[in-house]
Amino acid sequence: MPFVKTIFVSCFAALLILAATGCSSSGKGTNDPSVQTNEAAKPVTLTMYFKCFAVSDDDFARDFAGPVSRKYPHITLQKIDCTDANQFNQMIVAKELPDIIDDGITNMPILLDMDVPTDLNELVRKYEFDLGAITPQILQFFKQFGQNGELYSLPRTQNVFATYYNKDLFDKFGVAYPVDGMTWDQYIELAKRLTVVERDSRYYGLQMGYFNRLQTQLSLPFTDPATGKALIQQHEGWRSMFSVFQTIFSIPNNRPPAAGVLYHGLNRFTKDRNVAILPDIFIGQAMDQFNKEGIGWDIASFPVFADKPKTGIGVFANGFVIPKTSKHKEEAFQAIAHLLSPEVQAEATRNGNMTVLDRKDIKQNFLANSAVYRGKNIPAFYYNNVAEPYITTKYDLVASNAYTEALRQFIFGSKDLNTVLREAEEAANKAIASERAK
């Protein structure tokens, strides 16, 4: 689920450092690779590829190259810009993979199929990193991609979610603003009052992002790891998730104009400005335009299910991968380790990259350096807990595509839920069989 500046940013995440002091008196190391090696510090340039999302030169210098060069003057980080979807395959063909890849963790099956990632366990042991410093749900999710205990990626940043709302529309229709801790049912009731058609103007009470937000919130697996078969009929949570979408879009005049834009609530909220409520991923700088135009807005915590209070979205995280082909694995690990240290993570969090370290003191400073979010309800982003991770398999993407289309058909078609779920499972299993046959 790579991180996106405009829509996704999907998937991001971080390792390390002793949770409390990192003192060697505990019997563990200092978690400082620079003091655990006797090798001469020879100048080295490491290439870092962001697959596939944009990082500006200024942000790269501030959040990546700068911290590393100050810690390790002999290490230079060089950014490789993402240009198109075929770029990574071209790197593999040309045998020009970078030294570090920053990618959404759910893309790991693709990297594993290409035999790209190094198992980082040896380096973790060598430098005595404390994996327990990471938020447990995030670490658990990252670890499960190793079938035999391998650790192929170290989490760097966790994407956060909240409910964005247009205060001007709430004021226009005389509706009280939402507060932290509200349920999906409560938001749906608000949406009924905020969905209005006036002459040539149409206002949507509540619009949605991609369906995997709720899928992770309910910890729903796509496929069975033992059989590789689809599980959409076997878990009651899928039925609950489809029902929530149906209830939201059954509100008169609240359904999107076409099936193809069902998950495009972000565009309607930020560009069309005719959406009152948008529960979705951190939008980032896009809200600056609201500020410039004087549009009132704020955030509240992401909606929760009534029987799962304080349970927010699951793991949407980016992580660092060191390819097997890198000639500088030690230096790459040193660079990554420092980027995942509490001091660097603290500043990154202040700049809008939520830490994956299990540190409340760091999380509470999220967006502290942001002028765009100044005065907003920033604690809403970390009000909920991270949902327990779902079990992944290499066929999740195939099944997800089938489920995505099924939900579109359910919202815009005439079939009942039982039929839609049955047909979604059949379509997913057919697609999985085709994938296996390749």
Side-chain angles (χ1 to χ4, degrees), residues 308-319:
K308 293 180 178 293
K310 296 279 286 188
T311 299
I313 301 302
V315 178
F316 278 72
N318 270 41

